[in-house]
């Protein structure tokens, strides 16, 4: 059976069309089209919107708003989004990054969704037709969300404050064994004054490593200083066992890779003007 595609000029009109049973929203298509091609008979048609705001990136005074249709490739190219380039590059190869959208990545199941891990560490908000939600709230009930995601927003961290790491068996575009994003702030004496740590592939969706965050406060980023955080890094996790890695393996390597990321000192590369 052929799948119908309807295109609407506004998100509101597209949202109304989504009320028809079997209709799915089409962003980049890397998830929903694959599902249809693999035989998901619950999908009977696609809906998309060409509203300009969906493809817009706005950076003003350190505040960022990225439209849900913005692709990973566009983020990599955007000079003002240099801190996020590493996370965007972690999504597939060049062909996938040219299609994969910010909004679609929010719904990507484990072991995908690496960019969402970065957004969780950045304490992003998710805008939909129903309003704006903290990303943690959105992720907790994303399967029941029937409103179209329109944008994500966050504040750019201080230079060197954001770090991202994807661990995979196949380089450079393998599926994640796990991914980690951190946003840290340090006091003048070098101790950590605030910490956000997000983990991918350590549950059925990206999660915060709250125990590790709390253990970092007041500590310096040295091997001894981060040891308490690494000791509790697994707390609250429930990693899956899949063809990429076992739950046991993910639990074993998490403290190792989190330690390497926390001890890294290089800030993100900035594009030369």
């Amino acid at each position: 059976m052929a799948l119908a595609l309807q295109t609407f000029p506004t998100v509101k009109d597209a949202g109304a069309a989504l009320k028809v049973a079997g209709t799915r929203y089409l962003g980049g298509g890397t998830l929903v089209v694959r599902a249809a091609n693999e035989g998901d008979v619950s999908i009977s048609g696609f809906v998309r919107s060409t509203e300009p705001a969906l493809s817009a990136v706005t950076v003003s005074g350190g505040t960022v708003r990225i439209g849900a249709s913005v692709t990973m490739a566009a983020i990599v190219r955007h000079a003002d989004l240099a801190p996020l380039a590493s996370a965007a590059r972690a999504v597939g190869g060049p062909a996938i990054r040219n299609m994969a959208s910010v909004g679609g990545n929010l719904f990507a199941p484990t072991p995908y969704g690496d960019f969402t891990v970065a957004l969780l560490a950045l304490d992003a908000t998710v805008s939909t037709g129903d309003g704006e939600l903290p990303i943690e709230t959105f992720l907790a009930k994303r399967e029941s969300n029937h409103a179209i995601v329109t944008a994500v927003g966050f504040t750019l961290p201080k230079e060197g404050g954001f770090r991202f790491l994807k661990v995979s068996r196949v380089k450079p575009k393998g599926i994640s064994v796990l991914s980690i994003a951190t946003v840290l702030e340090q006091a003048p004496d070098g101790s950590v004054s605030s910490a956000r740590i997000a983990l991918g592939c350590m549950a059925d969706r990206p999660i915060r490593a709250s125990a590790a965050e709390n253990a970092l406060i007041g500590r310096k980023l040295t091997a001894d200083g981060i040891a308490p955080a690494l000791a509790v890094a697994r707390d609250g996790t429930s990693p899956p066992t899949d063809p990429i890695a076992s739950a046991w393996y993910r639990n074993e390597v998490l403290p190792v890779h989190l330690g390497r990321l926390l001890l890294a000192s290089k800030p993100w590369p900035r594009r030369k003007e």
Side-chain angles (χ1 to χ4, degrees):
M1 181 179 68
L3 297 175
L5 171 61
Q6 302 178 76
T7 301
F8 297 91
T10 68
V11 170
K12 181 178 180 180
D13 291 339
L18 275 177
K19 295 180 180 179
V20 177
T23 304
R24 301 288 189 274
Y25 187 79
L26 180 66
T30 59
L31 296 174
V32 70
V33 171
R34 184 182 68 179
N37 289 340
E38 291 179 348
D40 188 341
V41 296
S42 68
I43 301 174
S44 60
F46 299 121
V47 167
R48 63 190 293 266
S49 174
T50 55
E51 187 166 317
L54 292 173
S55 299
V57 176
T58 304
V59 182
S60 176
T63 300
V64 179
R65 184 176 176 84
I66 305 176
S69 294
V70 174
T71 65
M72 298 297 118
I75 290 171
V76 170
R77 293 192 300 265
H78 202 293
D80 292 329
L81 300 181
L84 289 179
S86 59
R89 288 194 187 97
V91 180
I96 292 296
R97 289 195 291 272
N98 280 330
M99 298 185 295
S101 64
V102 170
N105 200 265
L106 290 168
F107 293 91
T110 295
Y112 306 104
D114 297 304
F115 192 77
T116 300
V117 176
L119 292 175
L120 180 56
L122 289 164
D123 198 19
T125 57
V126 179
S127 298
T128 73
D130 293 335
E132 190 172 272
L133 292 171
I135 189 168
E136 287 181 80
T137 303
F138 174 85
L139 290 174
K141 57 180 183 178
R142 66 182 179 184
E143 287 79 11
S144 62
N145 178 67
H146 299 295
I148 297 173
V149 172
T150 58
V152 296
F154 55 89
T155 300
L156 280 173
K158 296 178 181 178
E159 185 169 351
F162 174 80
R163 303 175 185 184
F164 178 85
L165 174 68
K166 172 180 175 176
V167 181
S168 62
R169 297 181 185 275
V170 179
K171 310 296 183 183
K173 57 180 181 178
I175 299 171
S176 289
V177 171
L178 62 88
S179 54
I180 309 171
T182 67
V183 175
L184 307 176
E185 292 186 8
Q186 294 173 265
D189 67 353
S191 62
V192 176
S193 57
S194 70
R196 289 182 64 89
I197 303 173
L199 307 175
C201 298
M202 295 305 294
D204 66 342
R205 66 202 67 208
I207 59 171
R208 293 269 301 280
S210 300
E213 292 172 353
N214 293 332
L216 274 179
I217 302 302
R219 311 283 296 191
K220 293 186 178 181
L221 297 180
T222 63
D224 290 338
I226 68 172
L230 301 187
V232 297
R234 305 182 187 93
D235 289 8
T237 65
S238 55
T241 291
D242 56 29
I244 306 304
S246 67
W248 174 87
Y249 182 77
R250 286 184 163 110
N251 267 323
E252 287 298 304
V253 300
L254 171 60
V256 175
H257 290 292
L258 177 58
R260 291 173 179 172
L261 188 61
L262 291 175
L263 293 177
S265 59
K266 294 180 180 179
W268 68 74
R270 288 192 175 277
R271 181 178 298 179
K272 293 181 179 180
E273 299 297 336

